[in-house]
Amino acid sequence: MSDVFSTEIFILKIRAKDPLALSQLVEAYTDKLYRCCLGMGLNEEAAADCTQSTWLTFLDVAHKFEARSKVQTYLFGILYNKIHDQFRNKQKMDKNDPIDNHMNNRFDNTGHWIQSPIDPESFLLTANTKEEIENCLEKLPDIQRMAFAMREIDEECSKDICKILEITETNLNVLLYRARNRLRECIEKKAVVI
């Protein structure tokens, strides 16, 4: 199928924004683009938005397509830029993360605990269940979950994580700090229920 999309005639049709050629492309690649978004950690709604945004951008620039790469490569290049935009926007929103306020509210003006954290033994007993930890991980914002999983589960080095997520090491440290605090809060809440 992709051989059909690589022919010179088909490329000319794309550049001319031929409705039939564009329809064939949309039919052939929409599901693949959507699944790629899901695989990159976007939720269903964000994946659908990102896929649609990719097609809109493609339609805007189709007349400029010079066939230096395959149509599929061109489409996925647009998609990856859209995914990175999603992560950047999410990072901006995460800068004012409510977990920071929550953690600050745990201390009084002198820097002492208002409410002490649970003791380590209770914490470990609560955190023993793998399901509970996974449930708490799922509640993390996507970018924090990805950073935490790459660092703590996959044991990736900071440099590689920063490159993949296109963030600085300082941003990574903030994401990990917030992720750990969110996990601690989630697990502590479960300990209170027990």
Side-chain angles (χ1 to χ4, degrees):
M1 181 188 296
S2 61
D3 293 334
V4 173
F5 297 142
S6 299
T7 65
E8 190 174 325
I9 293 170
F10 192 81
I11 290 168
L12 289 173
K13 288 180 181 181
I14 291 172
R15 293 181 74 189
K17 295 186 180 180
D18 177 73
L20 181 61
L22 292 173
S23 177
Q24 290 173 322
L25 270 181
V26 169
E27 188 176 319
Y29 288 108
T30 298
D31 191 52
K32 292 177 184 178
L33 294 170
Y34 177 76
R35 286 194 319 257
C36 180
C37 289
L38 293 175
M40 293 289 287
L42 297 179
N43 64 34
E44 291 178 4
E45 183 180 343
D49 288 346
C50 198
T51 301
Q52 182 179 11
S53 180
T54 299
W55 283 118
L56 291 173
T57 300
F58 180 78
L59 291 173
D60 285 343
V61 298
H63 65 283
K64 297 179 185 177
F65 182 62
E66 296 177 0
R68 290 188 211 165
S69 62
K70 293 181 179 180
V71 175
Q72 178 177 338
T73 306
Y74 192 69
L75 268 172
F76 277 87
I78 295 170
L79 178 73
Y80 292 132
N81 286 329
K82 298 295 178 186
I83 291 171
H84 288 297
D85 288 346
Q86 289 261 351
F87 286 133
R88 274 188 225 111
N89 291 337
K90 201 157 184 90
Q91 270 183 322
K92 288 178 187 173
M93 289 173 43
D94 283 349
K95 283 184 180 176
N96 298 322
D97 196 330
I99 193 67
D100 292 336
N101 293 335
H102 183 73
M103 290 307 294
N104 290 336
N105 292 336
R106 296 188 89 174
F107 300 95
D108 63 21
N109 292 337
T110 63
H112 293 92
W113 289 101
I114 293 172
Q115 176 187 354
S116 297
I118 63 173
D119 64 278
E121 189 175 313
S122 298
F123 185 83
L124 287 174
L125 287 173
T126 304
N128 263 345
T129 308
K130 183 181 175 187
E131 263 181 43
E132 289 175 359
I133 295 171
E134 287 174 355
N135 288 338
C136 289
L137 273 171
E138 287 176 18
K139 293 177 184 174
L140 292 176
D142 293 335
I143 190 80
Q144 290 177 14
R145 183 175 62 243
M146 289 174 63
F148 184 83
M150 283 191 267
R151 176 58 159 255
E152 303 299 338
I153 298 170
D154 300 335
E155 298 179 348
E156 292 285 339
C157 69
S158 296
K159 183 179 176 184
D160 291 343
I161 297 169
C162 291
K163 189 174 185 179
I164 292 167
L165 296 179
E166 292 187 344
I167 58 175
T168 65
E169 193 160 339
T170 301
N171 290 344
L172 175 62
N173 290 335
V174 169
L175 290 172
L176 291 171
Y177 169 80
R178 290 177 175 165
R180 289 177 184 128
N181 282 329
R182 283 181 185 273
L183 287 171
R184 178 178 290 113
E185 287 297 313
C186 179
I187 292 169
E188 284 182 357
K189 284 179 184 173
K190 290 176 185 278
V192 171
V193 174
I194 293 175

